[in-house]
Amino acid sequence: MTAPRISSPKRRAPAAAAVLCSAAFSFFAAMAPASATVNPPIRMTHGIEYMSGGIGSDEAELMKTVAPRWPATFEFAIKDHKGADFASDVRVTVRDAQGTVLLDHVASEGPLMVARLDPGTYEVEARLRGNTLKQTLRVLPGAPARMAFLWPTGTDMASAGTHAVQ
């Protein structure tokens, strides 16, 4: 009488792993949208990381999702007859409490920008087509700060001007 043959678990493991990986890949490929959103690039200047974007609904949703993980978030818009319209290509300058420039006229690539700022007080300038808005930002430890810049309706976007916003 011949003893029954028992297959070794070691022999089944590679085959089972291959089937599992294939199934997982198929599942995630099916769940991915046809036009997957790519994260906007993280840039750095003066040792400060920042990222901007939010053009299109997918990228705007992505930026809103990552914003709570960044110490500072800036939003840019222009008032219009319907409420507000998002603005991009805003030039942002951030100075610390001593006046040291940390972000120097960096261009937003959409209506949202996030920055890795240490806890402290900062002066933030946002310039859109010659019109500058200034605000003071306080970043507290462990609490993301959010700041909105809203240019007024009827502002002559071609002329230079400075508006202080509190």
Side-chain angles (χ1 to χ4, degrees):
M1 177 179 219
T2 311
R5 188 170 182 185
I6 300 174
S7 63
S8 165
K10 289 182 182 177
R11 287 188 181 162
R12 283 186 282 157
V19 169
L20 183 61
C21 286
S22 176
F25 178 77
S26 297
F27 173 77
F28 287 115
M31 297 301 289
S35 59
T37 302
V38 176
N39 284 359
I42 295 175
R43 303 184 189 283
M44 184 180 290
T45 183
H46 300 288
I48 303 297
E49 288 182 326
Y50 68 96
M51 178 172 62
S52 65
I55 301 291
S57 60
D58 288 345
E59 192 174 283
E61 192 60 38
L62 173 89
M63 291 294 292
K64 288 177 184 175
T65 299
V66 302
R69 295 183 207 119
W70 291 72
T73 299
F74 309 112
E75 188 172 337
F76 312 111
I78 303 168
K79 254 185 166 178
D80 66 12
H81 64 282
K82 297 176 193 170
D85 189 23
F86 288 119
S88 62
D89 198 30
V90 174
R91 301 296 170 156
V92 179
T93 299
V94 176
R95 291 180 179 82
D96 66 14
Q98 291 73 40
T100 303
V101 175
L102 303 174
L103 295 178
D104 192 10
H105 299 290
V106 297
S108 72
E109 295 174 13
L112 297 167
M113 178 181 280
V114 292
R116 291 206 196 281
L117 299 175
D118 290 332
T121 302
Y122 300 89
E123 179 184 84
V124 183
E125 292 179 7
R127 184 180 211 56
L128 178 64
R129 300 184 201 135
N131 293 282
T132 303
L133 301 177
K134 294 181 183 182
Q135 296 189 55
T136 300
L137 175 71
R138 286 183 184 79
V139 176
L140 302 174
R146 186 174 184 89
M147 177 175 281
F149 290 91
L150 181 63
W151 282 266
T153 302
T155 300
D156 179 6
M157 299 313 263
S159 69
T162 300
H163 306 280
V165 177
Q166 298 299 326

mmCIF file of all heavy atoms in Angstrom, residues 61-94:
data_model
loop_
_atom_site.group_PDB
_atom_site.id
_atom_site.type_symbol
_atom_site.label_atom_id
_atom_site.label_comp_id
_atom_site.label_asym_id
_atom_site.label_seq_id
_atom_site.Cartn_x
_atom_site.Cartn_y
_atom_site.Cartn_z
ATOM 1 N N GLU A 61 -9.896 68.388 -5.681
ATOM 2 C CA GLU A 61 -10.246 67.428 -4.623
ATOM 3 C C GLU A 61 -8.985 66.854 -3.987
ATOM 4 O O GLU A 61 -8.906 66.700 -2.773
ATOM 5 C CB GLU A 61 -11.127 66.322 -5.199
ATOM 6 C CG GLU A 61 -11.757 65.457 -4.145
ATOM 7 C CD GLU A 61 -12.661 66.227 -3.182
ATOM 8 O OE1 GLU A 61 -13.379 67.150 -3.605
ATOM 9 O OE2 GLU A 61 -12.611 65.914 -1.975
ATOM 10 N N LEU A 62 -7.983 66.552 -4.817
ATOM 11 C CA LEU A 62 -6.716 66.031 -4.306
ATOM 12 C C LEU A 62 -6.058 67.050 -3.377
ATOM 13 O O LEU A 62 -5.616 66.702 -2.282
ATOM 14 C CB LEU A 62 -5.771 65.689 -5.458
ATOM 15 C CG LEU A 62 -4.376 65.296 -4.994
ATOM 16 C CD1 LEU A 62 -4.322 63.806 -4.738
ATOM 17 C CD2 LEU A 62 -3.357 65.707 -6.014
ATOM 18 N N MET A 63 -6.007 68.321 -3.793
ATOM 19 C CA MET A 63 -5.384 69.359 -2.968
ATOM 20 C C MET A 63 -6.139 69.530 -1.646
ATOM 21 O O MET A 63 -5.521 69.700 -0.599
ATOM 22 C CB MET A 63 -5.336 70.692 -3.724
ATOM 23 C CG MET A 63 -4.374 70.721 -4.906
ATOM 24 S SD MET A 63 -2.633 70.588 -4.431
ATOM 25 C CE MET A 63 -2.378 72.141 -3.581
ATOM 26 N N LYS A 64 -7.467 69.457 -1.680
ATOM 27 C CA LYS A 64 -8.247 69.576 -0.444
ATOM 28 C C LYS A 64 -8.004 68.381 0.475
ATOM 29 O O LYS A 64 -8.026 68.513 1.690
ATOM 30 C CB LYS A 64 -9.733 69.711 -0.771
ATOM 31 C CG LYS A 64 -10.074 71.052 -1.365
ATOM 32 C CD LYS A 64 -11.532 71.138 -1.743
ATOM 33 C CE LYS A 64 -11.818 72.463 -2.428
ATOM 34 N NZ LYS A 64 -13.198 72.534 -2.922
ATOM 35 N N THR A 65 -7.742 67.228 -0.122
ATOM 36 C CA THR A 65 -7.473 66.023 0.667
ATOM 37 C C THR A 65 -6.126 66.103 1.373
ATOM 38 O O THR A 65 -5.995 65.710 2.529
ATOM 39 C CB THR A 65 -7.524 64.767 -0.233
ATOM 40 O OG1 THR A 65 -8.832 64.674 -0.798
ATOM 41 C CG2 THR A 65 -7.225 63.504 0.549
ATOM 42 N N VAL A 66 -5.096 66.629 0.689
ATOM 43 C CA VAL A 66 -3.756 66.681 1.285
ATOM 44 C C VAL A 66 -3.562 67.904 2.178
ATOM 45 O O VAL A 66 -2.673 67.904 3.026
ATOM 46 C CB VAL A 66 -2.633 66.626 0.215
ATOM 47 C CG1 VAL A 66 -2.739 65.380 -0.624
ATOM 48 C CG2 VAL A 66 -2.591 67.869 -0.648
ATOM 49 N N ALA A 67 -4.366 68.930 2.024
ATOM 50 C CA ALA A 67 -4.177 70.184 2.771
ATOM 51 C C ALA A 67 -4.070 70.001 4.285
ATOM 52 O O ALA A 67 -3.206 70.630 4.910
ATOM 53 C CB ALA A 67 -5.278 71.181 2.423
ATOM 54 N N PRO A 68 -4.883 69.159 4.924
ATOM 55 C CA PRO A 68 -4.767 69.024 6.382
ATOM 56 C C PRO A 68 -3.419 68.470 6.854
ATOM 57 O O PRO A 68 -3.074 68.599 8.015
ATOM 58 C CB PRO A 68 -5.902 68.056 6.753
ATOM 59 C CG PRO A 68 -6.881 68.169 5.640
ATOM 60 C CD PRO A 68 -6.058 68.444 4.419
ATOM 61 N N ARG A 69 -2.646 67.889 5.953
ATOM 62 C CA ARG A 69 -1.333 67.345 6.316
ATOM 63 C C ARG A 69 -0.221 68.384 6.176
ATOM 64 O O ARG A 69 0.935 68.082 6.456
ATOM 65 C CB ARG A 69 -1.019 66.133 5.436
ATOM 66 C CG ARG A 69 -1.981 64.991 5.693
ATOM 67 C CD ARG A 69 -1.620 63.766 4.870
ATOM 68 N NE ARG A 69 -2.826 62.994 4.652
ATOM 69 C CZ ARG A 69 -3.352 62.725 3.474
ATOM 70 N NH1 ARG A 69 -2.783 63.131 2.386
ATOM 71 N NH2 ARG A 69 -4.452 62.011 3.383
ATOM 72 N N TRP A 70 -0.560 69.568 5.702
ATOM 73 C CA TRP A 70 0.410 70.655 5.546
ATOM 74 C C TRP A 70 0.080 71.736 6.572
ATOM 75 O O TRP A 70 -1.091 72.033 6.809
ATOM 76 C CB TRP A 70 0.329 71.230 4.140
ATOM 77 C CG TRP A 70 0.820 70.312 3.063
ATOM 78 C CD1 TRP A 70 0.207 69.188 2.589
ATOM 79 C CD2 TRP A 70 2.032 70.434 2.334
ATOM 80 N NE1 TRP A 70 0.961 68.622 1.598
ATOM 81 C CE2 TRP A 70 2.098 69.371 1.415
ATOM 82 C CE3 TRP A 70 3.079 71.355 2.352
ATOM 83 C CZ2 TRP A 70 3.148 69.190 0.541
ATOM 84 C CZ3 TRP A 70 4.128 71.183 1.470
ATOM 85 C CH2 TRP A 70 4.163 70.110 0.577
ATOM 86 N N PRO A 71 1.096 72.387 7.160
ATOM 87 C CA PRO A 71 0.835 73.410 8.184
ATOM 88 C C PRO A 71 0.093 74.649 7.678
ATOM 89 O O PRO A 71 -0.622 75.283 8.446
ATOM 90 C CB PRO A 71 2.239 73.800 8.667
ATOM 91 C CG PRO A 71 3.081 72.607 8.349
ATOM 92 C CD PRO A 71 2.512 72.039 7.082
ATOM 93 N N ALA A 72 0.248 75.002 6.390
ATOM 94 C CA ALA A 72 -0.403 76.209 5.874
ATOM 95 C C ALA A 72 -1.040 75.936 4.514
ATOM 96 O O ALA A 72 -0.438 75.291 3.660
ATOM 97 C CB ALA A 72 0.617 77.343 5.739
ATOM 98 N N THR A 73 -2.268 76.439 4.353
ATOM 99 C CA THR A 73 -2.982 76.337 3.078
ATOM 100 C C THR A 73 -3.446 77.728 2.686
ATOM 101 O O THR A 73 -3.987 78.469 3.514
ATOM 102 C CB THR A 73 -4.214 75.414 3.200
ATOM 103 O OG1 THR A 73 -3.776 74.114 3.566
ATOM 104 C CG2 THR A 73 -4.978 75.334 1.888
ATOM 105 N N PHE A 74 -3.241 78.073 1.407
ATOM 106 C CA PHE A 74 -3.681 79.357 0.859
ATOM 107 C C PHE A 74 -4.657 79.077 -0.280
ATOM 108 O O PHE A 74 -4.427 78.181 -1.085
ATOM 109 C CB PHE A 74 -2.500 80.171 0.323
ATOM 110 C CG PHE A 74 -1.372 80.299 1.299
ATOM 111 C CD1 PHE A 74 -0.157 79.673 1.061
ATOM 112 C CD2 PHE A 74 -1.525 81.026 2.473
ATOM 113 C CE1 PHE A 74 0.892 79.778 1.963
ATOM 114 C CE2 PHE A 74 -0.470 81.124 3.382
ATOM 115 C CZ PHE A 74 0.737 80.503 3.123
ATOM 116 N N GLU A 75 -5.731 79.853 -0.329
ATOM 117 C CA GLU A 75 -6.720 79.730 -1.409
ATOM 118 C C GLU A 75 -6.865 81.090 -2.078
ATOM 119 O O GLU A 75 -6.910 82.118 -1.400
ATOM 120 C CB GLU A 75 -8.060 79.286 -0.817
ATOM 121 C CG GLU A 75 -9.084 78.953 -1.860
ATOM 122 C CD GLU A 75 -10.331 78.339 -1.264
ATOM 123 O OE1 GLU A 75 -10.272 77.776 -0.153
ATOM 124 O OE2 GLU A 75 -11.376 78.434 -1.917
ATOM 125 N N PHE A 76 -6.952 81.090 -3.406
ATOM 126 C CA PHE A 76 -6.994 82.330 -4.180
ATOM 127 C C PHE A 76 -8.261 82.390 -5.029
ATOM 128 O O PHE A 76 -8.574 81.440 -5.738
ATOM 129 C CB PHE A 76 -5.765 82.420 -5.094
ATOM 130 C CG PHE A 76 -4.475 82.122 -4.390
ATOM 131 C CD1 PHE A 76 -3.762 80.967 -4.674
ATOM 132 C CD2 PHE A 76 -3.980 82.977 -3.417
ATOM 133 C CE1 PHE A 76 -2.573 80.671 -4.029
ATOM 134 C CE2 PHE A 76 -2.793 82.695 -2.759
ATOM 135 C CZ PHE A 76 -2.083 81.548 -3.063
ATOM 136 N N ALA A 77 -8.962 83.549 -4.975
ATOM 137 C CA ALA A 77 -10.187 83.711 -5.764
ATOM 138 C C ALA A 77 -10.424 85.184 -6.067
ATOM 139 O O ALA A 77 -9.898 86.066 -5.393
ATOM 140 C CB ALA A 77 -11.379 83.133 -5.019
ATOM 141 N N ILE A 78 -11.247 85.419 -7.091
ATOM 142 C CA ILE A 78 -11.678 86.761 -7.477
ATOM 143 C C ILE A 78 -13.196 86.779 -7.343
ATOM 144 O O ILE A 78 -13.875 85.889 -7.849
ATOM 145 C CB ILE A 78 -11.294 87.079 -8.937
ATOM 146 C CG1 ILE A 78 -9.795 86.933 -9.140
ATOM 147 C CG2 ILE A 78 -11.766 88.483 -9.318
ATOM 148 C CD1 ILE A 78 -9.371 86.936 -10.599
ATOM 149 N N LYS A 79 -13.713 87.774 -6.648
ATOM 150 C CA LYS A 79 -15.160 87.911 -6.516
ATOM 151 C C LYS A 79 -15.761 88.183 -7.888
ATOM 152 O O LYS A 79 -15.201 88.926 -8.684
ATOM 153 C CB LYS A 79 -15.483 89.102 -5.612
ATOM 154 C CG LYS A 79 -15.949 88.750 -4.255
ATOM 155 C CD LYS A 79 -16.350 90.019 -3.525
ATOM 156 C CE LYS A 79 -17.132 89.668 -2.306
ATOM 157 N NZ LYS A 79 -17.492 90.843 -1.546
ATOM 158 N N ASP A 80 -16.904 87.579 -8.160
ATOM 159 C CA ASP A 80 -17.644 87.904 -9.373
ATOM 160 C C ASP A 80 -19.129 87.960 -9.030
ATOM 161 O O ASP A 80 -19.510 87.797 -7.878
ATOM 162 C CB ASP A 80 -17.343 86.922 -10.512
ATOM 163 C CG ASP A 80 -17.817 85.504 -10.241
ATOM 164 O OD1 ASP A 80 -18.576 85.292 -9.276
ATOM 165 O OD2 ASP A 80 -17.429 84.611 -11.000
ATOM 166 N N HIS A 81 -19.971 88.204 -10.023
ATOM 167 C CA HIS A 81 -21.411 88.359 -9.764
ATOM 168 C C HIS A 81 -22.065 87.079 -9.245
ATOM 169 O O HIS A 81 -23.144 87.115 -8.679
ATOM 170 C CB HIS A 81 -22.120 88.862 -11.027
ATOM 171 C CG HIS A 81 -22.060 87.906 -12.177
ATOM 172 N ND1 HIS A 81 -20.931 87.764 -12.950
ATOM 173 C CD2 HIS A 81 -22.972 87.031 -12.653
ATOM 174 C CE1 HIS A 81 -21.159 86.832 -13.864
ATOM 175 N NE2 HIS A 81 -22.389 86.380 -13.718
ATOM 176 N N LYS A 82 -21.417 85.925 -9.402
ATOM 177 C CA LYS A 82 -21.967 84.657 -8.927
ATOM 178 C C LYS A 82 -21.430 84.287 -7.543
ATOM 179 O O LYS A 82 -21.882 83.332 -6.945
ATOM 180 C CB LYS A 82 -21.619 83.538 -9.900
ATOM 181 C CG LYS A 82 -22.200 83.709 -11.271
ATOM 182 C CD LYS A 82 -21.718 82.594 -12.168
ATOM 183 C CE LYS A 82 -22.003 82.897 -13.612
ATOM 184 N NZ LYS A 82 -21.345 81.973 -14.515
ATOM 185 N N GLY A 83 -20.448 84.972 -7.063
ATOM 186 C CA GLY A 83 -19.819 84.659 -5.772
ATOM 187 C C GLY A 83 -18.324 84.839 -5.860
ATOM 188 O O GLY A 83 -17.805 85.880 -5.514
ATOM 189 N N ALA A 84 -17.630 83.820 -6.367
ATOM 190 C CA ALA A 84 -16.177 83.909 -6.512
ATOM 191 C C ALA A 84 -15.726 82.940 -7.595
ATOM 192 O O ALA A 84 -16.330 81.891 -7.806
ATOM 193 C CB ALA A 84 -15.475 83.600 -5.202
ATOM 194 N N ASP A 85 -14.660 83.319 -8.273
ATOM 195 C CA ASP A 85 -14.063 82.489 -9.307
ATOM 196 C C ASP A 85 -12.612 82.250 -8.894
ATOM 197 O O ASP A 85 -11.913 83.188 -8.513
ATOM 198 C CB ASP A 85 -14.129 83.211 -10.656
ATOM 199 C CG ASP A 85 -13.731 82.327 -11.814
ATOM 200 O OD1 ASP A 85 -13.828 81.093 -11.689
ATOM 201 O OD2 ASP A 85 -13.320 82.878 -12.854
ATOM 202 N N PHE A 86 -12.172 81.015 -8.944
ATOM 203 C CA PHE A 86 -10.812 80.700 -8.513
ATOM 204 C C PHE A 86 -9.777 81.421 -9.359
ATOM 205 O O PHE A 86 -9.989 81.669 -10.542
ATOM 206 C CB PHE A 86 -10.565 79.192 -8.573
ATOM 207 C CG PHE A 86 -11.283 78.437 -7.498
ATOM 208 C CD1 PHE A 86 -12.224 77.480 -7.818
ATOM 209 C CD2 PHE A 86 -11.032 78.699 -6.167
ATOM 210 C CE1 PHE A 86 -12.894 76.784 -6.826
ATOM 211 C CE2 PHE A 86 -11.698 78.016 -5.164
ATOM 212 C CZ PHE A 86 -12.623 77.059 -5.500
ATOM 213 N N ALA A 87 -8.642 81.748 -8.743
ATOM 214 C CA ALA A 87 -7.545 82.438 -9.428
ATOM 215 C C ALA A 87 -6.300 81.568 -9.392
ATOM 216 O O ALA A 87 -6.058 80.845 -8.424
ATOM 217 C CB ALA A 87 -7.263 83.780 -8.738
ATOM 218 N N SER A 88 -5.518 81.629 -10.453
ATOM 219 C CA SER A 88 -4.225 80.944 -10.480
ATOM 220 C C SER A 88 -3.180 81.940 -10.965
ATOM 221 O O SER A 88 -3.504 83.075 -11.284
ATOM 222 C CB SER A 88 -4.271 79.711 -11.387
ATOM 223 O OG SER A 88 -4.553 80.094 -12.711
ATOM 224 N N ASP A 89 -1.948 81.503 -11.024
ATOM 225 C CA ASP A 89 -0.810 82.351 -11.381
ATOM 226 C C ASP A 89 -0.688 83.541 -10.426
ATOM 227 O O ASP A 89 -0.360 84.646 -10.819
ATOM 228 C CB ASP A 89 -0.875 82.807 -12.841
ATOM 229 C CG ASP A 89 0.487 83.299 -13.318
ATOM 230 O OD1 ASP A 89 1.511 82.801 -12.804
ATOM 231 O OD2 ASP A 89 0.541 84.200 -14.182
ATOM 232 N N VAL A 90 -0.979 83.281 -9.158
ATOM 233 C CA VAL A 90 -0.811 84.275 -8.099
ATOM 234 C C VAL A 90 0.634 84.155 -7.623
ATOM 235 O O VAL A 90 1.155 83.055 -7.451
ATOM 236 C CB VAL A 90 -1.790 84.007 -6.938
ATOM 237 C CG1 VAL A 90 -1.537 84.942 -5.771
ATOM 238 C CG2 VAL A 90 -3.229 84.107 -7.432
ATOM 239 N N ARG A 91 1.309 85.266 -7.419
ATOM 240 C CA ARG A 91 2.672 85.286 -6.902
ATOM 241 C C ARG A 91 2.623 85.442 -5.396
ATOM 242 O O ARG A 91 2.034 86.400 -4.890
ATOM 243 C CB ARG A 91 3.489 86.428 -7.528
ATOM 244 C CG ARG A 91 3.595 86.364 -9.031
ATOM 245 C CD ARG A 91 4.352 85.135 -9.437
ATOM 246 N NE ARG A 91 4.275 84.927 -10.875
ATOM 247 C CZ ARG A 91 5.158 84.252 -11.566
ATOM 248 N NH1 ARG A 91 6.179 83.693 -10.953
ATOM 249 N NH2 ARG A 91 5.024 84.098 -12.854
ATOM 250 N N VAL A 92 3.200 84.484 -4.682
ATOM 251 C CA VAL A 92 3.103 84.446 -3.218
ATOM 252 C C VAL A 92 4.475 84.694 -2.596
ATOM 253 O O VAL A 92 5.466 84.079 -2.994
ATOM 254 C CB VAL A 92 2.550 83.076 -2.755
ATOM 255 C CG1 VAL A 92 2.477 83.009 -1.237
ATOM 256 C CG2 VAL A 92 1.188 82.808 -3.384
ATOM 257 N N THR A 93 4.489 85.597 -1.604
ATOM 258 C CA THR A 93 5.693 85.860 -0.817
ATOM 259 C C THR A 93 5.335 85.660 0.655
ATOM 260 O O THR A 93 4.317 86.172 1.116
ATOM 261 C CB THR A 93 6.199 87.300 -1.045
ATOM 262 O OG1 THR A 93 6.514 87.457 -2.427
ATOM 263 C CG2 THR A 93 7.440 87.585 -0.213
ATOM 264 N N VAL A 94 6.162 84.903 1.350
ATOM 265 C CA VAL A 94 5.951 84.658 2.785
ATOM 266 C C VAL A 94 7.199 85.106 3.528
ATOM 267 O O VAL A 94 8.313 84.712 3.176
ATOM 268 C CB VAL A 94 5.665 83.161 3.068
ATOM 269 C CG1 VAL A 94 5.546 82.920 4.565
ATOM 270 C CG2 VAL A 94 4.399 82.710 2.341
#
